[in-house]
Amino acid sequence: MKSLSFLAIFCCTTLFSQSGNPGIMKDAFAHTYSIVARDAKTGEMAVGVQSHWFSVGSIVSWGKSGVGVVATQSFVNPAYGPQGLELMQQGKNPSEALGILLAQDEGKEYRQVAFLDTSGNTAAHTGENCVEAADHISGENYSVQANMMLNATIVPAMQKAFLENAKLPLAERVLKVLQAAEAAGGDLRGSQSAAIIVVGPEEVENPWEEKKIDLRVDDHQQPLVELERLLKVARAYEFMNRGDLAMEENNVDKALEEYGNAMKLFPDNLEMQYWTAVALANSGRMDEAKPIFEAIFKEDENWKEMTRRLPSAGLLNIPQQQLLNLIK
């Protein structure tokens, strides 16, 4: 432990920022396992990561729609993220982009980095001074990498999980890879934080459209368990969002279908139940909507006040007397 502590202190105090290469000062000691991956069918790209380090997703995972994704870890040089994406956007392939940044980095032997572009090309680097067990395996549409692992089986287990779960949506597939790493032994120190980001195959106009999925567990005793829960919630609210859009378009049947799909994932969620009841009421199916409303009001009377406010916002279209009877 003394030698490890000395290594941490040495690296965090001596690996430094070079001019023209900003952001490499007091490098975060974020040993971890991660994957960069692309879905060959949809073109979506993702980063998944877990570490015994606070908020690992904020420094390790980087992505830009229509460009690529980057995982930068070990003694993290965050500049590999934005600078790597910029180089790939300029037309450099992952190997070229990674090579340029490694050539500028005097701390490269402490780094572990993986790049992936929109064509599924990958490039990865594991520095000689990364703490064992440290390794990476790269292939078409993926690269898995890890350092300071309990044993040397983790990276092969990650590769196996990625290849075996090709039928899953990309985010769920990436989660399976992280779970496989944990099952094989995981980080020598345990676990603390995890993250998944997914970006699209095409460049986007607006910054808020960049990430299709952006989930982080910053501090948790079982970060992958929590990440799995959040991913399930995210999928449910994708249905809710599509239901809301259908409501805006006065497509009640479509809204009911989407809200119903959300409720299947979270049948006890009052929000999902509520908007289903609203959609039923707006379609003239008050006999079906009323018992749902009543069950919700019994759980939390604040939903009565919400219901009273909806007509003036144009979100609930029922006769005034029917409204009064509903919220009395």
Side-chain angles (χ1 to χ4, degrees):
M1 288 299 293
K2 287 183 179 179
S3 61
L4 184 58
S5 298
F6 172 77
L7 176 62
I9 294 168
F10 171 79
C11 291
C12 288
T13 56
T14 64
L15 297 182
F16 56 92
S17 175
Q18 303 173 35
S19 62
N21 199 7
I24 314 174
M25 192 164 61
K26 296 184 177 178
D27 308 287
F29 188 48
H31 297 291
T32 186
Y33 54 78
S34 72
I35 175 172
V36 295
R38 174 179 174 271
D39 187 313
K41 293 180 181 178
T42 67
E44 291 178 337
M45 299 166 288
V47 182
V49 59
Q50 195 281 150
S51 179
H52 189 280
W53 193 260
F54 176 70
S55 191
V56 69
S58 65
I59 56 173
V60 168
S61 50
W62 300 82
K64 187 171 179 60
S65 291
V67 176
V69 289
V70 174
T72 173
Q73 57 199 49
S74 190
F75 289 91
V76 179
N77 178 348
Y80 278 89
Q83 291 182 4
L85 293 173
E86 183 178 354
L87 287 167
M88 286 192 287
Q89 190 167 25
Q90 292 171 2
K92 299 287 190 298
N93 65 42
S95 294
E96 292 169 336
L98 182 56
I100 289 169
L101 296 182
L102 287 171
Q104 299 171 359
D105 186 1
E106 290 190 14
K108 64 185 177 183
E109 295 307 331
Y110 296 93
R111 316 291 190 206
Q112 191 169 50
V113 192
F115 286 15
L116 177 142
D117 68 11
T118 54
S119 298
N121 301 312
T122 59
H125 163 79
T126 299
E128 290 185 2
N129 292 335
C130 288
V131 178
E132 63 175 325
D135 197 6
H136 66 263
I137 301 175
S138 299
E140 184 179 2
N141 292 318
Y142 75 94
S143 178
V144 290
Q145 45 281 327
N147 63 87
M148 200 180 270
M149 295 296 103
L150 183 64
N151 57 62
T153 69
I154 280 97
V155 174
M158 295 171 73
Q159 179 193 36
K160 183 172 183 286
F162 180 74
L163 296 176
E164 288 181 346
N165 288 282
K167 293 183 179 180
L168 290 178
L170 185 58
E172 282 78 2
R173 190 178 182 187
V174 164
L175 180 62
K176 288 289 188 183
V177 171
L178 300 180
Q179 291 170 334
E182 195 67 16
D187 192 315
L188 180 63
R189 304 158 299 165
S191 57
Q192 183 174 0
S193 65
I196 292 176
I197 64 168
V198 177
V199 298
E202 306 292 338
E203 292 193 45
V204 296
E205 231 179 284
N206 302 306
W208 58 86
E209 298 173 320
E210 279 291 354
K211 294 188 175 79
K212 292 176 173 289
I213 289 183
D214 187 6
L215 300 176
R216 278 174 37 189
V217 179
D218 286 341
D219 186 34
H220 198 278
Q221 288 186 344
Q222 294 182 298
L224 293 184
V225 173
E226 178 65 3
L227 190 63
E228 182 175 28
R229 186 189 72 82
L230 291 178
L231 182 55
K232 184 180 177 183
V233 174
R235 293 304 191 194
Y237 275 90
E238 286 178 0
F239 288 125
M240 291 297 293
N241 290 335
R242 289 197 288 268
D244 290 346
L245 181 60
M247 287 288 286
E248 289 179 18
E249 297 170 348
N250 293 316
N251 189 343
V252 177
D253 289 339
K254 179 64 174 175
L256 286 171
E257 179 187 348
E258 298 294 355
Y259 292 151
N261 287 332
M263 285 178 62
K264 288 175 186 176
L265 291 174
F266 287 94
D268 296 328
N269 185 293
L270 293 184
E271 178 96 22
M272 295 173 185
Q273 295 174 29
Y274 182 78
W275 293 111
T276 299
V278 169
L280 287 167
N282 284 338
S283 65
R285 296 158 63 178
M286 183 55 78
D287 288 346
E288 296 174 65
K290 188 176 180 182
I292 301 175
F293 278 124
E294 289 174 346
I296 293 168
F297 298 160
K298 188 175 181 180
E299 288 287 327
D300 185 348
E301 287 203 353
N302 282 346
W303 290 102
K304 281 189 178 183
E305 178 61 21
M306 171 70 84
T307 306
R308 184 190 67 77
R309 298 178 185 186
L310 289 188
S312 62
L315 296 176
L316 181 59
N317 304 307
I318 60 175
Q320 178 69 14
Q321 189 56 52
Q322 200 172 55
L323 174 67
L324 295 175
N325 290 338
L326 185 61
I327 63 176
K328 65 183 180 181

